[in-house]
Amino acid sequence: MVRRSRELDILPVDPADTSLRGRRVLYGSVSLLLAVVLGVAVLDGLDVVDGYGVDIATAEARSADGIHLAVEHPSVTRPALAGPIRIHVDGLHDGEPVRIGIERRYLSIFDHNAVFPAPADESWSDPWVVWQYQANGTSLVIAIDGRLEPAVQQGRTGHVAVLDAHLQPVVEVELHTRVAP
């Protein structure tokens, strides 16, 4: 048989007791912080915000003569994580030379392992690293396999352009990569 005591073992909490105030503030702060972190995670999963890991954005522009440039790039990344860049150029004339310029300052934050396809010619003309290809059809896709340099702690803004014979931009897009800790 179980004996039950009629006495109350739990004492009521005195709201005027200040010894519990610090603990309440701590619990409230931790709960708020967890709610914010989970909220950002949910919004990142829905692609409302770029918060965790590598997020890819696309920058697009079209020239007056119909050349369409679209660049997929990491908008948010972390040091030493893979950050692929894909350059899509449409509206080309078969057999014509295509010059792709990437600002050297932007490209320098990446440790690029390979460029597919490899350019037929590579040169440098401030501020551009210039890769030349021969158009084989009306579109060209270039993939840069790389990762953010491990020592890079701040993001950078740069440009990618289709350049004319005088290395002037025909069509250009701006890229921005933010580095998260």
Side-chain angles (χ1 to χ4, degrees):
M1 175 183 262
V2 176
R3 293 184 185 190
R4 297 184 185 217
S5 171
R6 299 238 182 239
E7 294 181 27
L8 294 176
D9 293 328
I10 301 172
L11 298 175
V13 176
D14 181 12
D17 184 7
T18 59
S19 65
L20 299 176
R21 186 169 296 151
R23 190 175 296 174
R24 287 183 192 148
V25 169
L26 176 66
Y27 289 161
S29 299
V30 169
S31 297
L32 180 63
L33 178 66
L34 287 174
V36 168
V37 168
L38 290 174
V40 169
V42 168
L43 292 175
D44 186 40
L46 296 172
D47 271 343
V48 175
V49 298
D50 294 334
Y52 302 109
V54 177
D55 285 317
I56 303 296
T58 302
E60 297 183 69
R62 186 177 297 278
S63 71
D65 59 351
I67 295 176
H68 178 251
L69 173 64
V71 181
E72 297 171 24
H73 67 286
S75 61
V76 176
T77 188
R78 300 176 83 184
L81 287 183
I85 299 173
R86 300 222 188 312
I87 302 169
H88 303 264
V89 184
D90 294 310
L92 302 173
H93 298 98
D94 192 18
E96 73 179 5
V98 181
R99 289 167 206 84
I100 303 296
I102 301 177
E103 276 187 317
R104 188 174 62 105
R105 184 173 166 358
Y106 180 76
L107 193 58
S108 69
I109 67 173
F110 294 95
D111 175 17
H112 57 281
N113 300 320
V115 178
F116 303 106
D121 186 34
E122 185 174 358
S123 62
W124 178 72
S125 177
D126 197 29
W128 306 108
V129 170
V130 181
W131 294 329
Q132 184 167 322
Y133 294 89
Q134 200 69 27
N136 187 11
T138 60
S139 65
L140 172 67
V141 177
I142 302 164
I144 302 171
D145 177 31
R147 66 184 178 104
L148 192 70
E149 284 284 349
V152 173
Q153 300 298 315
Q154 294 182 355
R156 196 162 292 165
T157 299
H159 295 87
V160 172
V162 175
L163 306 172
D164 64 13
H166 304 291
L167 302 181
Q168 297 301 312
V170 173
V171 61
E172 180 177 4
V173 294
E174 182 177 271
L175 314 177
H176 181 72
T177 299
R178 182 171 59 90
V179 178

